[in-house]
Amino acid sequence: MKIKPIVAGNWKMNKMPKEGQMFVETVINLVLDIQEVSVIFAPPFTGLVDIDVNTPFFKAAQNCHWEDKGAFTGEISAPMIKDCGVDFVILGHSERRHLFNESNRLINKKILASLKNGLNVIHCIGETLEDRNAGETVSVLEKQLTNGLKDVGSLEKLVIAYEPVWAIGTGVSASLEQIENTHKSIRNILSGLYDKKQNIAVLYGGSVNLDNAATLISADGVDGFLIGGASLDAENFASIIKIVENI
Ligand code: PGA
């Protein structure tokens, strides 16, 4: 079965709730006739409630806690997110791993909690420049996938986003060759972990923009994008969606 491409916009800590709501309406109006692509908006938690979307548009949270409720000041749980009409949650983003010390073990707990609560998970993985230069890219990804997906029985509600840390927010995306090779490795790792070939979307993220989107989406094994900076401008984001729609 062919996987429907995904274009996801990770707003990070940007946009006020009203601004986000207007932004989503603008983007949707610019790409009204899309049929081939699923589009995911990931505002900060505060923006999730007011955004109202229908297929092929979806909402994603950028994080969640692993417990359903309790004394965890400042945290938001998977059931709370689900109750806001959210379909996806981004887990394991490089900024969460590096700025907030999230380990593969912790990410695994969040993934299991999200799946238990009926959310789809965008599981982000990626190597640092140090890892790549040391020839450790594949082993790092293998560890992130193996530990992150521990006790996850099926990949049915999973999307993988390959985001090399050195390409996030730097303006330098990975090359076509690096992306193709790494996506191939990711699929190999997944087929080692799961019995039968799983029909899972593997996205690329890291300095995707209007200029490189057409080239990057042509890479073998790339089923769409997770976009940070270039997802904040409605025209830009809509144009990238159309590029992916028309491949
Ligand atoms: P970027 O961010 O597109 O700004 O590089 C990607 C991400 O962090 O998901």
Side-chain angles (χ1 to χ4, degrees):
M1 195 177 82
K2 195 176 171 285
I3 294 171
K4 196 169 183 180
I6 294 171
V7 178
N10 174 12
W11 300 359
K12 309 191 180 183
M13 199 169 70
N14 292 289
K15 296 194 192 296
M16 299 298 171
K18 280 278 161 295
E19 195 187 347
Q21 197 183 14
M22 277 161 54
F23 174 90
V24 168
E25 280 167 21
T26 309
V27 172
I28 291 178
N29 282 323
L30 288 169
V31 298
L32 272 183
D33 48 353
I34 56 161
Q35 288 180 351
E36 304 300 328
V37 187
S38 297
V39 177
I40 302 173
F41 299 99
F45 288 129
T46 49
L48 285 172
V49 184
D50 288 338
I51 293 171
D52 190 17
V53 287
N54 293 306
T55 316
F57 302 96
F58 302 91
K59 300 193 275 191
Q62 298 173 19
N63 183 26
C64 76
H65 195 267
W66 60 87
E67 293 289 347
D68 286 356
K69 60 179 180 177
F72 299 99
T73 303
E75 293 291 326
I76 308 269
S77 72
M80 290 170 180
I81 293 167
K82 184 79 180 151
D83 198 52
C84 296
V86 172
D87 307 285
F88 288 84
V89 57
I90 299 172
L91 294 172
H93 188 277
S94 149
E95 283 145 24
R96 299 296 320 170
R97 291 177 187 269
H98 296 105
L99 301 174
F100 300 97
N101 291 324
E102 291 198 4
S103 63
N104 288 322
R105 195 169 157 268
L106 185 100
I107 293 160
N108 175 246
K109 285 165 76 171
K110 294 183 174 194
I111 292 178
L112 292 172
S114 301
L115 294 175
K116 185 187 82 181
N117 284 288
L119 289 163
N120 296 285
V121 172
I122 302 177
H123 180 206
C124 302
I125 56 171
E127 82 287 2
T128 62
L129 193 56
E130 211 179 11
D131 298 329
R132 180 161 281 271
N133 290 340
E136 282 170 6
T137 300
V138 176
S139 64
V140 166
L141 298 176
E142 186 159 22
K143 207 163 160 196
Q144 290 174 338
L145 286 169
T146 309
N147 297 343
L149 296 176
K150 188 167 176 283
D151 298 330
V152 173
S154 152
L155 296 178
E156 205 186 322
K157 288 178 91 64
L158 261 290
V159 171
I160 303 293
Y162 167 57
E163 300 202 299
V165 178
W166 47 272
I168 295 176
T170 59
V172 184
S173 76
S175 70
L176 212 55
E177 196 189 352
Q178 286 169 326
I179 296 173
E180 287 184 345
N181 287 339
T182 315
H183 276 237
K184 202 181 285 170
S185 303
I186 290 168
R187 290 197 189 271
N188 281 342
I189 297 165
L190 291 175
S191 22
L193 291 176
Y194 292 87
D195 290 346
K196 60 178 172 41
K197 243 188 151 45
Q198 303 263 342
N199 203 28
I200 182 170
V202 184
L203 313 182
Y204 169 77
S207 295
V208 174
N209 58 42
L210 192 48
D211 294 333
N212 61 20
T215 307
L216 297 179
I217 198 64
S218 74
D220 249 6
V222 171
D223 300 308
F225 298 131
L226 179 55
I227 308 173
S231 77
L232 295 174
D233 177 88
E235 304 267 341
N236 257 333
F237 190 56
S239 301
I240 296 173
I241 294 168
K242 284 184 193 161
I243 289 172
V244 176
E245 166 82 10
N246 291 317
I247 47 159

